[in-house]
Amino acid sequence: LDGPSPEELATLKQKIAQSGRELRLGFSLQDTEYRGQLSISRKPARISSQASTFFRIEPENLATHIETQLKLEGGGVRQLAVDLPEATGTDLRFQLGPGVVPVVTQTPNGPVQQMVSLGMAPLRIVEQTSEAPKNGIRRWMLRLDRYATGSAMLSVDIRHARSGAGPFNCPVLAIVGAEREAGFVAIEASQEQFLTPLATDVSGQAL
């Protein structure tokens, strides 16, 4: 069983195209009678995440908007596992939209960078479930309507009542199984409030 020559491959493509299909695999064989088996498996998924977290301290509530740019490579994913702090509760709704890419446009005043949405068929979350929290973390499982590859934007809004004068913990969203994760946090409050940000690393050590 050999790979076809360029000429044989072109002939195979023409024959397949007549039936409205596209050639994915092609083989050549000298005999007219043959049989065999193909072992087909999906490539492992590779996920990277770039999160933007907007944390607003209001007089009576704490409001957080998180959006994370996902890059899904390999065989893609049919569901996403997401970790959030237990304190964010279970009254959440995740949204999934097309990814965005930076585009630089030259203007008379110099280059301007804009984030442009990718033109792709929208993905849908058909089911979201949450597990019992462990060690202060609640895991969410997001099942998609199909295998997802390419870029996508996952977002969620979190809002809960403010208790006292702090300290307040900004929720951090983590994509389970991601090879790379990065992001930034923007903190906002009204003019009469004085904020002192305190940052720690994953081990709890102050930065």
Side-chain angles (χ1 to χ4, degrees), residues 14 84 98 123:
Q14 291 177 357
L84 278 170
L123 292 164

Side-chain angles (χ1 to χ4, degrees), residues 11-207:
T11 302
L12 283 172
K13 287 183 177 180
Q14 291 177 357
K15 292 181 178 180
I16 293 295
Q18 295 174 1
S19 61
R21 294 178 294 175
E22 183 179 349
L23 180 66
R24 297 292 299 275
L25 294 172
F27 302 95
S28 65
L29 192 66
Q30 298 300 321
D31 201 343
T32 56
E33 295 184 5
Y34 59 89
R35 64 180 178 180
Q37 293 181 334
L38 289 177
S39 177
I40 301 175
S41 60
R42 186 174 292 273
K43 292 181 179 179
R46 298 173 56 197
I47 308 174
S48 60
S49 170
Q50 177 82 28
S52 302
T53 302
F54 305 91
F55 184 54
R56 177 171 174 80
I57 302 174
E58 301 174 349
E60 297 182 357
N61 297 286
L62 301 175
T64 308
H65 175 75
I66 304 174
E67 53 186 38
T68 181
Q69 175 85 18
L70 301 175
K71 188 174 183 181
L72 310 170
E73 299 176 305
V77 296
R78 188 62 189 271
Q79 68 176 11
L80 291 167
V82 178
D83 282 351
L84 278 170
E86 177 185 358
T88 57
T90 57
D91 189 18
L92 303 179
R93 181 173 180 178
F94 293 85
Q95 303 283 345
L96 197 59
V100 295
V101 294
V103 175
V104 177
T105 304
Q106 295 295 333
T107 69
N109 297 324
V112 175
Q113 178 174 295
Q114 294 177 312
M115 302 304 291
V116 178
S117 176
L118 295 174
M120 59 179 290
L123 292 164
R124 290 192 307 112
I125 299 174
V126 296
E127 183 183 26
Q128 64 173 50
T129 57
S130 61
E131 301 177 358
K134 296 179 181 178
N135 300 322
I137 299 296
R138 188 188 311 276
R139 178 159 297 180
W140 291 81
M141 303 302 297
L142 312 178
R143 189 164 65 87
L144 311 180
D145 61 340
R146 65 183 186 274
Y147 273 95
T149 57
S151 297
M153 180 72 76
L154 178 68
S155 62
V156 64
D157 288 301
I158 304 167
R159 191 177 185 86
H160 53 276
R162 170 178 171 173
S163 58
F168 306 115
N169 293 323
C170 175
V172 176
L173 181 147
I175 303 297
V176 179
E179 293 183 349
R180 299 182 303 276
E181 287 190 285
F184 71 85
V185 176
I187 303 174
E188 183 182 3
S190 56
Q191 192 172 15
E192 67 274 9
Q193 299 186 81
F194 180 78
L195 301 180
T196 304
L198 300 175
T200 59
D201 60 17
V202 293
S203 63
Q205 298 297 317
L207 298 177

